Structures are given as structure tokens and as C-alpha cells.
Amino acid sequence: MRLTLAKALNAGLRRALEDDPKVLLMGEDIGRLGGVFRVTDGLQKDFGEDRVIDSPLAESGIVGTAVGLALRGYRPVVEIQFDGFVYPAYDQIVSQVAKMRYRSRGRSPMPMVIRIPFGGGIGAVEHHSESPEAQFAHTPGLKVVACSNPADAYWMIQQAIASDDPVVFLEPKRQYHADKAEVDEAATPPPLFSSRVVRAGSDVTVLAYGPTVRTALRAAEAAAGEGRSMEVVDLRTLSPLDLPPVLESVRRTGRAVVVHEAHVNLGLGAELAARITEECFFSLEAPVLRVGGFDTPYPASRIEEHFLPDLDRLLDAVDRSLAF
Amino acid sequence: MRLTLAKALNAGLRRALEDDPKVLLMGEDIGRLGGVFRVTDGLQKDFGEDRVIDSPLAESGIVGTAVGLALRGYRPVVEIQFDGFVYPAYDQIVSQVAKMRYRSRGRSPMPMVIRIPFGGGIGAVEHHSESPEAQFAHTPGLKVVACSNPADAYWMIQQAIASDDPVVFLEPKRQYHADKAEVDEAATPPPLFSSRVVRAGSDVTVLAYGPTVRTALRAAEAAAGEGRSMEVVDLRTLSPLDLPPVLESVRRTGRAVVVHEAHVNLGLGAELAARITEECFFSLEAPVLRVGGFDTPYPASRIEEHFLPDLDRLLDAVDRSLAF
Amino acid sequence: MTTHPDPAARTADATFGPDLVEVFGPSQADGGPDLVQLLTPEGERVHHPDFDVDLTPEELRGLYRDMALVRRLDVEATALQRHGELGLWAQLLGQEAAQIGCGRALAPQDFVFPTYREHGVAWCRDVDPLHLLGLFRGVDHGGWDPAAHGFGLYTIVIGAQTLHATGYAMGLQRDGVVGTGDAARDAAVIAHFGDGASSQGDVNEAFIFAASYNAPVVFFCQNNQWAISEPIERQTRIPLFQRALGFGFPGIRVDGNDVLATLAVTRAALQRAREGQGPTLIEAYTYRMGAHTTTDDPTRYRLSSDVERWKLKDPIARLEVHLKRNGLADAAFFDDVAAEADALGARLRAGCTAMPDPDPLAIFEQVYAEVPDELVAQRDGYAAYLDSFEEAGR
Amino acid sequence: MTTHPDPAARTADATFGPDLVEVFGPSQADGGPDLVQLLTPEGERVHHPDFDVDLTPEELRGLYRDMALVRRLDVEATALQRHGELGLWAQLLGQEAAQIGCGRALAPQDFVFPTYREHGVAWCRDVDPLHLLGLFRGVDHGGWDPAAHGFGLYTIVIGAQTLHATGYAMGLQRDGVVGTGDAARDAAVIAHFGDGASSQGDVNEAFIFAASYNAPVVFFCQNNQWAISEPIERQTRIPLFQRALGFGFPGIRVDGNDVLATLAVTRAALQRAREGQGPTLIEAYTYRMGAHTTTDDPTRYRLSSDVERWKLKDPIARLEVHLKRNGLADAAFFDDVAAEADALGARLRAGCTAMPDPDPLAIFEQVYAEVPDELVAQRDGYAAYLDSFEEAGR
Ligand SMILES: Cc1ncc(C[n+]2csc(CCOP(=O)(O)OP(=O)(O)O)c2C)c(N)n1
Ligand SMILES: Cc1ncc(C[n+]2csc(CCOP(=O)(O)OP(=O)(O)O)c2C)c(N)n1
Ligand SMILES: [Mg+2]
Ligand SMILES: [Mg+2]
């Protein structure tokens, strides 16, 4: 079936609800309305108010009660309406969700998925375009993944729900209703915590995830026209990182550029740069370069395209890397 | 005068309260009790309940009302009782405090200091030994500093209060009541957002801040005995970074090791490694190595010394760097 | 061996008092007996034992004009969004009386902390509506000067501003401008929030801090019955104004579609605050006639018959009837207001479409008071990068 | 030009009702008229119109024994801390009745979410006190199995557990074990928290969620008058149990130094919850006789005369008097309990000092169900590093 990313997530959630009666969805406006992005459209109607739960307007409350439900044996899938609204729940996420297994010596597992539509580029008002992934990836006990296309979305959401670890699940909101892609329900998906080379190349390795995968692929296309061969890796998993395919690629190309929407300072690119340099020190022809959101708050939407790393800024970095 | 770090902070806060009637202290138990670490001892008695404010037990409430007080022209200095309790206030800090100047186009400055006793090694129970600095350093609009000794503590707290930007002020709680040091009230302190070489050396540059400065100095002492010359930089400012002295040092030594208690993954060391590699690519003899808290939750205190980077683990990294 | 009490044992007469839903009524009860009302939906002036206002015909006309103009503002903005000139718009349709009644109760020295929907209050604080449009257009995060207007920036993270309001009110106390008896000096703060927001921790913490310090703040909740798609019952099972009870300060429910009652109640609550008597919670019982925002589709979750029912309580219509029936305004007045609204509409359309995009380098401005070198470098780097395109384009 | 209403104009008769502090009394009023009490400080059995318990002498002796033993546990732990065997200890001294009364009201299928001070409730849930010591010694974050005991891990971040409790209660609803009428099946949850915790957003959100879903959860607040150095007045100006009013569910104040009253009230509230009647807030009015924790110095912020006054209300003494005066227990019983306490003390001392430090590599265990390669590498690296010392040491 050909689906948009939002519809693919919807199908994946539906299948998870069907497969396991312990799976519950929770969040603001996810029931009757089907979520502000319609990702949960129709699910409350089909699975009832006890499994698709419209919550009071309080993110800490949502995540905190989800912790309790998980302790009772449920597998809550929480929707945070927009990235910027995850912070009221931050304490519950980093001090409770992330640590529950550890502190209980494994007796209290915390199988929870926290879905966050993330990233910018939709012309939204403040707090609707954030990229909070680094903060969660820095937190041991959490796993963090980002999908970039409908097929991955369909499988990854199911795999995240099936995971016995808490997973922060990032959805590139800008692509919810963008192009459809084929989703093969009979396929065997790759493991959740794996990265994937989505375009082979030989001159430079570009590491992307979520919304920037598409940017990277387009840049690679453009660069190919000018005789530069970019390999593109869709990281998919941000914590843990799946380094082997990354390192293998960088050892081959000798060059790496990381691209994400999050602020460059202490963004995922920092960790990737540090690790790649550590592991491939003698293979590197250039330092790992980073392209990302500037180290400023997210700006007003009329100039957000300047804030967001685009094809040109990525190619510029690729050029700088090649020129080293 | 010779003061402990806690007493130096107390003296610095006292002077700030004296110098500017708009300075207020807020927090849990900071008044009558003088704070659980006695950093604010005696200040409520001398400056009154209107300026040294015991608050209800709610961190978001404390920071959120401090925002309002700042909007009214006050300069609130907020105490978070322990690092692990800053997260309930996380939303107010990253979405409000950090962004207020930006979103108001400079009309609503946010001169606020958020004091956080941080780091481990005091044999405490859960949530009392965290190192949350990377999360704040990743947030544009905030500045983040860490003091490591009484004299710096005395001056840096006053400078942070005088700053028109919001400053997350990290205090190495393990050293509150450790050795006294001379604090010269007549001295001219270096600028707040500056790093400092605290021990000169030539073989490898060690970057430390807060509690690990002392570890680094001791390691340097030990290494000197074995003929290895370590240069130690006390970063002091974590956001912004003060890179020039760091880069100058690394260009000289060709090697850098970063040491902090925070988890290695996406800790400050990641950013430093990325930046140093970018700026000193051809001077580096080895990749920047990182020594830090492991990528696990903070463990039970009986084994915390294994979690915390100590002299041996630092020296081990120095050896690995030199062996590259 | 000792025996432990049987946990299943139960005392027949154990009672925790009556069911509070029976005592207070359900949250969504239509207004309820506690509703303060001074002007019925039919435009009839009624009296209330505790609250009243005594307004001149001119003042009444002024309130009508305010409401009519902000409704026009809202209609224009909605249209501008439909035409792609705004990224989004949060409509106030139906909430004009709540906002104008509240806004006109303010003294110049008071300070307002709005949500993202208080266009009517902004109006009363002389904030140019073009600034509101600018925000939703995406040219900035709010172009007005909060201090100059006594009106804070719009706050989108639900509830955060209620704490700011409480802190600001604590600042007023420290500045000695509460309870001095000098009407030109004593000041208070209004914190706006919605029915949905009442569930946020921050809002409840604001209640606690305000009560603890007896801060001069009025919590003004526009209960428009919906938090996007979630009805008020999801947030509370008893009327929302009763929430204040448990925090030890008064709560009151006013007909939010009645500009006179809202004015009377807000004025009194503000005065209480200015006099040093502490916080009050006002629940302005109203209805969101439009969608949550222009991206919302309320037909998915509510009945059009509900909307129809509320149309009969329209806040502007009832004042219009009152003015006409009592000969307080003539046709010329209504014509004037209509003309003024047309002029406003034209000004907004022209002003909005003419609004330039910000300079891309504005991204780097006002992040800090003292700008770090690293950020200067980022800015300069980007400026040079942009220049390189211009040069290439030549 | 239109005129706007004069903001300073004020209606003389505006009233927001009586001052709630006058209605409800101040927060710190000594117990107050609403206090449910069944056993006076003098050991006299009194009756209450709504709550009562009918216990056998054996059951009464059981409650005495529980309290005496947990007090001993507390004394031993405090001493062990002084001797450097524990990093910290949070004393329950004075709160024995609140905790035992509550703990003995629980059914096996109920679930408890404690703070860090519920040693008495842990006792009732058969959690080995050595596990509590282990936590404060720093060998782990809680060595018991929450599911096996129906007793969650201690929670230190204030208030967080009240949401977990509410969520767990929502799980009970989904499991169909609420309101079935089967006493062995219907279950409820208790959320513990302190007076200080009542100010946290999470606790208030828990009230909202519990009310909204009518979840079977009892919020059990031990108001011991202090949050470290901050008195109850800083958190609320009216009695804390009234907080529930505004959320639409019942609140009740019980004499937390009276084990019978606490048992009666908690039992009834749990039963309400099990039957599907929703949440209740219990304020157990008590006093923290000791320091906040062993690192605290209460002489800095409170009067010893207050402590002396509360000594007269000691929860154990009053039950002892009652038992003795009514011939419900003989000297042999008290001797037995004393001997049992001595044995407990000895066991705790021996057990605590014998507790080995964990394996350093435990740092890496149970971070994840599925351990990432990177973490395995960190672990292996550290293991090798440790081995290198051993080898060097050989
Ligand atoms: C913390 C947070 N969570 C979620 C949202 C998304 N959101 C925006 S408005 C809204 C509903 C608000 O309802 P209410 O408080 O009743 O105000 P109204 O919009 O009805 O005026 C939600 C959930 C947000 N802005 N902030
Ligand atoms: C979120 C958070 N903030 C601060 C603290 C530090 N702290 C520990 S106990 C305590 C006081 C708690 O008072 P109360 O709720 O009355 O419980 P009690 O200790 O009296 O039993 C504080 C402030 C904490 N543990 N968690
Ligand atoms: Mg609403
Ligand atoms: Mg207490």
C-alpha cells in the first residue's frame, strides 16, 4: 500500500493495538480528533476510550500516569502534541521513565514509547519546531530513534512499541503529509536500532536522520551532477548509535558531514564527530563537519528556512570537507 | 580571607545583595535554614524575607515566578536544592528563561542566575549527584558556568548576578566544605566567560571544570612525577565555550583529554572534541579523548567512585592519548 | 503471632461527605446558579447582589465598539490566514465580552499576562493589532513592548505565564505598590489561561505561590468549554471556579458572554488584589464559537447544535439589543462603528500584506545581551555565505 | 471618541464571599474541628459519627507491636547512620500511627507508592527492613520487588509517584478489578506524599487525572508540619485536606498520631476506591518528631517547645495507655514486644554492617532490557581496566 508518513504511523499503531491488548495510546486530542496531525485518526473509534485515551492537558501527568500504567503491565504509547511541549514532562522522562528499570534492578521494566513530532519547516509559531533529541540521547536508560520515511515509520513504531526499553520516537512532522511511499506489510524490517546506507557514494559520508535525510538525498543528487559522490546514511537510531555502518563508510570516504536541525552546539553531530574521530583518526582526510540549526532559539517562521540546514548549506559543508 | 567554597559563595551572594537592591534570592530552605548546604546562611536574617525568599516546594514555581520578578526589574538568584531536582523546572528554563530576550527582541531581558549544586561523590541517595550541564549548554539563550574553587566562586557568582543574561551556575557540591582557599576581595577577577590554564604543561592538554579540576590537577601532579607534562585548563564557562585558550594549548601539545562527571555520550566532551578537531585538525597527534561518567544512570553511592572519573582513569586516558 | 486487622472489614457508616458533583454541579452545567450575570442573552439588564457596574451610555457604547472592532479584527485575521498571509490564527470569536470586560477593568499600571488568544485584551492595552498579525504571520514572536503596554508577550506553552504573572505580582509587593491606598499607584496583575490550561502543573503551582505570598494577581480563566477537541469534563468534574476553594482564595464564575458582568467582577477582583487582599480566580464562562485555530476542524468532535445554542448568547448581540432597546445608541452610532470596523479591516489587510519578512540575520539578534564570539562567528559566517549567493547571482 | 469605564471605579458591595481562612481555619490550626480521632492523646477511646473500627484486642495489640517495631527500626537506622553505616536516614519518628494505620488498611491486592519515609508502610507490606537500610547505605536504589510486595520503590523526586499511582489505578480500571463487588479482587492504590509535596505540579496533576478518570487511588498525605525547614503555612493557607474540594473529590483530615482513626479512615477511603467511587485525599495530621533526615539540624528553624508539645501526642504511648488501662494487654505482651524489638535491632545491625558493597560492574546492569553494543564495550573496557589493577597488584 502507498501511504504518507502519517498514515503509515497510523497503520503501524493500529497493528500494534491489534497485536497486543496491553498497548494503550495516550495524549491530548488523540481520540475523537485523531491527533492534531491525524496520526491516531480512527483508532479511538475502533479500540475504545480505554485504549486510546484523551488526557487532561498536562504532559507531566500524561507521562507520569503512563509510568504507572507500565508498572501495571501496560505498554503505553504517549503522544506529545509538539516537540516544544515535551519539557513539562521532562522530569518524568529523565528521572522516572529512563531510570525505572535501573533502579529496580530490572524488576520494573518501562516499555513505553514517547512519540514526538519534531523539527521545523511548517511555518508554525513558537515552540512548534524544536529538535530536542540530543537531550534525550544524553540520558542513559532512554533509547531515541527517528524515522524518515513511511515504510520505516510503519515498522519502527511497531518495533518501538515491542521494545522493552523506553523509546523516544521522533517523527519528522514536516513530512507527515508529504509524498506517499510504498509500505509492504509483508516485508521483514531491519532491526530498530540500526542505521542504514540509503545512498552509496565514495567521496564523503553524510549522516542524517528524520527530516534531513531527504535534504541529504537531494543534495547527493545535486552533487552527483557535479561529479561529487556522496554516501548518505540514515541514522534511524540516535541512542544507541549504530556506529559500525557509519565507521565503515567514513573509513572508505575519509570524510563525514553530519546534518540535523537541532542546534549544532552539543547536537548529535558533536557526539558523532567525537566518536568518528576517535575510531577513524587515521582515515580522516578532514575533520567531521556539522551542519545544523544555529545556536539561537528557533526563529520566527518567515526566516526559518535560513535557520534550517538546507541543500545548499549541506553542499557547502561537503565542499569544505572536500577542500580540506 | 580564607574561605571554603560554600562560604565564598555566601560572601559573594552577600555582596551582590548589598550592591544591588534588585537582587533577590529564592529557593527551598534558603532562608531560616540557610540552605541544605548553608550557602545562604544568615542572609535572610540580614536582608529580610522579601529578599531571601523561602518558596513553596515546587521548582517550576520557583523559576516561573523568578521569570515574573525579572520582568518586573528584579534580578532573581534561584537555588535548586540538588541537581536532580532541576528537571521539574526544565520547561520554564529552556522555553521561558532562555528565550525571553530573543522572543521580545531584547525588550524583556532575563537577568537570572540558577544556582545548582552538581556532581557526585558525596555518598548521596538517588537524584543527588547528577551533572545536567550539557542539557543547558545545548540551549541557546542560556549561559552555563561552573566554579571549581573558592576564589572563583566568590567572583563568578557576583559576575553571574551582574550579567544581563540568564546564567546556570554550577557549584561542585562535593567541594562546598572541602579545603579553604584565599579569597582576595580587592582582586580584579578575570571575565566570567573565560577559561583559564591552571597548570602549564607541554605533552597533553586536559580540559576540566567544576569538581574534575581538582582531579585533573592531582593527576597532573602524579604524571609529572612520571615525566609526563599535563597542561590543565579550567574551562569555567561551558556555554559559551572560551575556545581560544583551549585551542592555543592543544595546538601546542597536540593532544587533548576532556574530563567531566556527566555521561560521556553527548557530554561537554563531545562538543569540545568536535570543535578542537575542527580547529586543530592538523595539529592533533591523537583524537580528543573523553573521560566521564559512564552512559548509565548514576549508580548507588557505594560504587559511585567507580562511576566517577578519577585520577587513574584520567591518567589512563592521558596514556592512551600519548600512545596514539 | 499477632493478627492484623482485616483489610476488607468496612464500617457501614463511613462517609466522606456528599458527592461534590452533587454539591457543586458538574463542570459543564450551563452556567449554573453561581453565574454572575448583569445582562441576559436577551439584552435585559439584571442585577446581582454582590456585583454591579454603573456605566454611562457613552461607556456602554465604548464597550460595544470594542467588541465589534475586535470581532472584526478576528474576522480579518481569519480571512488573511485563509489567503495565506498568516501561518495560523487563534480566533476569539464568541469570547469578545470576556476579553473586553476584563481588558477594560484594568488600570494603566496593571500588567497582563496573556495566552495566545487575548486579542481583545491586547486591544484594550493599545497593542497595535498588526503586531498580533505579525506574530501569526511569522515575522516575529510578538512585536510590542510588554513594559510600554503593561501587556506581556503571547505565551504558547500552556500555563507558563500564570507563574510569570504571580512572580510579577510578587515584584509589585516588593515595589510597595500594593495596598497603599493610592488608586493611581496600587497595581495588580492578570494571568490569562484557558479551561484546558487549568490541568497544567504550572497553573496549580501559580495558585499555590499566589496564595502563599498573598500576591496581587487575578487568575482569569476563559472557560470556552474546549481545549482543542477536549471538553471541559476531561479537565474537571466540578465547575472550574471552585478550584480556588482548595487553595484558600475565592473563585467566582461570571458570564463571560456578558461584558458588564465580566467588567464588574474583574474590576472588583483587581481592586481586591491592589488593596493587598490577594489572589482571586475568575472563571469567565463562555464558548469558543470558532475552531481552536485555523488549522482545526471542530466538526470532528462537537455538535453544530451546541454551537447554534451558544449563538443565542452572543456577547455583542446582547449589548446591541440593550443599547437599542433603551435608546442608548442611535443608528448613526452603529453606522460609525461599522465604518470604523471597515477601516480597521482595510488597515489590517494592507498592513499585513505589506509586512516585510525579517532580515535573515535577525536570527542571530537578541539571543544574548553580551553576544559570545562563537555566535558572532556563526552570524558572520552566515552573512558571508548569503553574500556568496548574491555575488554568484550577479 | 468613546470613553472607557474608569478602572478605579469600584462597586462598594463587591464580595467574593467570606475569607476562606476564616471558613476553613488556617493550615496549621492544631488539628481543627474536622479532625477524625478515635483515640485521644490520653489513650481514651472516643467515637466519631462517620468513622469507626471495631478491633479485637489481638488486633489492637498487633497495631501496637507494629508501631513499636518500626520505631525501633527507625532508632536503629538512625544509630547506624551515626556510626557511618548508612549514608543517610529519613526518620519516621512520630509518624508511626499514620503509617501503620494506613499500612494495615491495605488489602494484599492493593498497591502502594511511597515517598522515602514510609518505612512503616513497607513493614506492613513485608518488605525486609534491611532493604530499606540498603538503599540508604547506598548499595542499591531499593532491593525489593515492587510487584511481589505491592509496594513501589521509594521515590525521591518529590511528588512524581503520585502520578505513577494514578496511572497504576487507571491500569486497575482497565484490568476490570474495580467495582466488581468481589472483595478479594477489587483493588486500589495508595499514593503517599508530604505536606511540602502538595505544592508540586505533579501532585496537583495527579489530582486532576484521578478525578477525571475517577481512578481508584487514595492520596495519603502525611502532614508532618514541615518540609525540611519550611512550615506548612508556606505551602497552604488553609488545611491541606481541603485541597481536594477544588478538584471535586473528598478530602478528610485524620489524626495521624491515632492509629485507629488512620486505619478507619484509610480503610474506608480504600474501599470507596475499590468500589469504583474514585479518589480521596487523606491528610494525616502528624508531626515530624525528628530531623528531616540525619543531615538536617531542625534547631535552626523550629522551637523545641513545639516538639515537646507534640511529644504529649505520641502515637505509641496513647495506644499503650489504652491497652493497659483497659486490660487488653499484659506485661508479658509488652515484654515480648520489647524482646522482639531487641531482636529486630540486632538483626538490623548485623545485617546492615554485613551488607557487601555491590560489584562495581553492577553499574552497567539493567540500564536496558536490550543492551547496546556501545554499553557492552564500556562495561568490558572498565572490567579490563579494573583487571589491569589487579594484575598490577599481584
Ligand atoms: C504545554 C503545552 N501542551 C500542549 C499545547 C498544545 N495546545 C495548544 S492550545 C491547546 C488547548 C488549550 O486549551 P485551553 O487552555 O482551554 O485554551 P483555549 O485554546 O481554549 O483558549 C493545546 C493542547 C501547548 N501549547 N502547550
Ligand atoms: C523535586 C524535589 N525537590 C526538592 C527535593 C529535596 N527535598 C527532599 S525532601 C524535601 C521536603 C519534603 O517535604 P514533605 O513533602 O513535607 O515530606 P517530608 O519530608 O516532611 O516527609 C525536599 C525539599 C526533592 N527531593 N525533590
Ligand atoms: Mg478552552
Ligand atoms: Mg512534611
Side-chain angles (χ1 to χ4, degrees), chain A residues 60-61 72 74 103 165 275, chain D residues 154 175 202 205 363 369 374:
Chain A
S60 189
R72 180 69 195 173
Y74 285 89
R103 55 203 298 273
D165 290 311
R275 287 308 309 269
Chain D
Y154 275 10
D175 287 344
D202 273 10
E205 292 187 9
I363 288 176
E374 293 289 307

Side-chain angles (χ1 to χ4, degrees), chain B residues 28-29 57 59 81-82 85 88 128, chain D residues 95 115-117 156-158 193-198 200 222 224 226-228 288 292:
Chain B
E28 296 159 6
D29 305 296
L57 206 173
E59 287 75 10
Q81 199 163 82
F82 280 88
F85 309 141
H128 288 70
Chain D
Q95 301 178 219
T115 72
Y116 40 81
R117 206 188 286 285
I156 286 173
V157 181
I158 300 285
F193 63 108
D195 44 299
S198 68
Q200 278 288 1
Q222 285 168 73
N224 63 7
W226 294 96
I228 309 186
R288 198 193 75 207
H292 170 67

Side-chain angles (χ1 to χ4, degrees), chain D residues 87-280:
Chain D
L88 184 83
W89 180 250
Q91 293 157 270
L92 66 69
L93 191 70
Q95 301 178 219
E96 296 87 354
Q99 297 194 6
I100 297 300
C102 171
R104 289 300 174 207
L106 291 159
Q109 68 272 24
D110 295 335
F111 203 98
V112 179
F113 285 86
T115 72
Y116 40 81
R117 206 188 286 285
E118 270 66 67
H119 320 315
V121 188
W123 173 264
C124 297
R125 299 306 274 181
D126 292 327
V127 172
D128 188 336
L130 279 174
H131 284 317
L132 308 178
L133 300 190
L135 186 160
F136 286 100
R137 184 177 171 88
V139 304
D140 57 34
H141 297 317
W144 61 96
D145 181 352
H149 295 273
F151 188 79
L153 290 189
Y154 275 10
T155 299
I156 286 173
V157 181
I158 300 285
Q161 75 284 359
T162 58
L163 282 168
H164 307 167
T166 304
Y168 194 97
M170 290 165 63
L172 295 179
Q173 291 175 310
R174 279 158 185 75
D175 287 344
V177 295
V178 181
T180 69
D182 177 350
R185 196 162 169 232
D186 283 347
V189 180
I190 283 212
H192 284 276
F193 63 108
D195 44 299
S198 68
S199 294
Q200 278 288 1
D202 273 10
V203 174
N204 292 276
E205 292 187 9
F207 293 167
I208 287 162
F209 278 65
S212 186
Y213 299 116
N214 209 37
V217 54
V218 174
F219 294 105
F220 191 92
C221 176
Q222 285 168 73
N223 173 3
N224 63 7
Q225 315 296 326
W226 294 96
I228 309 186
S229 73
E230 302 206 9
I232 178 70
E233 304 94 276
R234 182 80 292 153
Q235 324 287 345
T236 178
R237 54 199 208 184
I238 61 169
L240 210 38
F241 72 101
Q242 302 286 11
R243 179 71 57 84
L245 261 188
F247 294 93
F249 59 87
I252 191 162
R253 178 178 267 189
V254 65
D255 183 344
N257 284 18
D258 172 351
V259 70
L260 300 186
T262 307
L263 176 67
V265 168
T266 312
R267 194 189 261 179
L270 282 169
Q271 192 54 26
R272 255 192 108 238
R274 292 189 204 105
E275 286 172 4
Q277 293 179 63
T280 309

Side-chain angles (χ1 to χ4, degrees), chain B residues 22 24 26 49-50 53-56 58 60-62 64-65 67-69 71-72 74 91-92 95-96 100-108 139-143 164-165 193 239-241 243 275, chain C residues 109 113 140-146 153-157 160-161 163-168 170-175 177 202 205 208-209 212-213 362-372 374:
Chain B
K22 292 294 184 188
L24 303 176
M26 304 175 68
E49 291 190 12
D50 264 1
I53 308 172
D54 269 326
S55 71
S60 189
I62 297 170
T65 53
V67 168
L69 280 157
L71 291 173
R72 181 68 195 175
Y74 286 88
D91 177 54
Q92 284 286 348
S95 293
Q96 305 296 331
M100 196 58 83
R101 168 180 290 275
Y102 193 70
R103 54 204 298 276
S104 69
R105 305 279 75 194
R107 294 188 188 98
S108 304
T139 305
L142 298 180
K143 290 180 172 175
D164 287 330
D165 290 311
F193 301 106
S239 179
L241 289 170
L243 284 175
R275 285 310 308 270
Chain C
Q109 68 272 25
F113 285 86
D140 57 35
H141 297 318
W144 61 96
D145 181 352
L153 290 190
Y154 275 10
T155 299
I156 286 174
V157 182
Q161 75 283 358
L163 283 168
H164 307 167
T166 304
Y168 194 97
M170 290 165 64
L172 295 179
Q173 291 174 310
R174 279 157 184 77
D175 287 344
V177 294
D202 273 9
E205 292 187 9
I208 287 162
F209 277 65
S212 186
Y213 298 116
I363 287 177
F364 302 94
E365 276 164 28
Q366 298 295 351
V367 181
Y368 297 101
E370 194 194 328
V371 189
E374 293 289 306

Side-chain angles (χ1 to χ4, degrees), chain D residues 332-345:
Chain D
F333 167 75
F334 292 106
D335 290 346
D336 283 355
V337 171
E340 217 184 331
D342 288 342
L344 176 66

Side-chain angles (χ1 to χ4, degrees), chain A residues 95-281:
Chain A
S95 292
Q96 305 296 331
V97 175
K99 293 184 171 179
M100 196 58 82
R101 167 180 292 275
Y102 193 70
R103 55 203 298 273
S104 69
R105 304 278 79 192
R107 294 189 188 97
S108 304
M110 200 38 53
M112 187 189 299
V113 176
I114 301 175
R115 294 181 39 236
I116 310 181
F118 85 126
I122 62 160
V125 290
E126 274 185 292
H127 309 290
H128 287 71
S129 307
E130 308 286 316
S131 297
E133 59 269 24
Q135 306 166 64
F136 296 114
H138 182 54
T139 306
L142 298 179
K143 291 182 171 175
V144 185
V145 302
C147 59
S148 71
N149 62 72
D152 272 4
Y154 176 75
W155 291 113
M156 288 171 74
I157 189 66
Q158 293 180 62
Q159 292 169 317
I161 294 170
S163 164
D164 286 331
D165 290 311
V167 178
V168 174
F169 191 92
L170 299 162
E171 306 170 0
K173 70 168 85 77
R174 180 166 21 164
Q175 278 154 34
Y176 271 140
H177 308 295
D179 317 335
K180 290 185 183 174
E182 186 60 33
V183 176
D184 174 4
E185 291 174 87
T188 307
L192 179 57
F193 302 106
S194 64
S195 298
R196 188 168 54 206
V197 175
V198 288
R199 180 185 172 113
S202 53
D203 295 338
V204 57
T205 304
V206 173
L207 308 171
Y209 57 89
T212 59
V213 172
R214 190 186 179 145
T215 314
L217 287 172
R218 288 187 177 168
E221 196 64 45
E226 298 174 22
R228 283 164 299 173
S229 167
M230 282 165 60
E231 177 144 314
V232 179
V233 179
D234 181 350
L235 291 176
R236 294 173 16 110
T237 175
L238 310 185
S239 178
L241 288 170
D242 179 26
L243 283 176
V246 171
L247 301 177
E248 190 280 322
S249 174
V250 177
R251 287 200 186 100
R252 242 186 314 107
T253 62
R255 295 181 156 87
V257 176
V258 191
V259 54
H260 51 58
E261 293 190 6
H263 312 294
V264 167
N265 183 28
L266 276 161
L268 259 287
E271 181 64 26
L272 285 160
R275 287 308 309 269
I276 290 170
T277 311
E278 223 172 309
E279 304 289 338
C280 310
F281 190 63

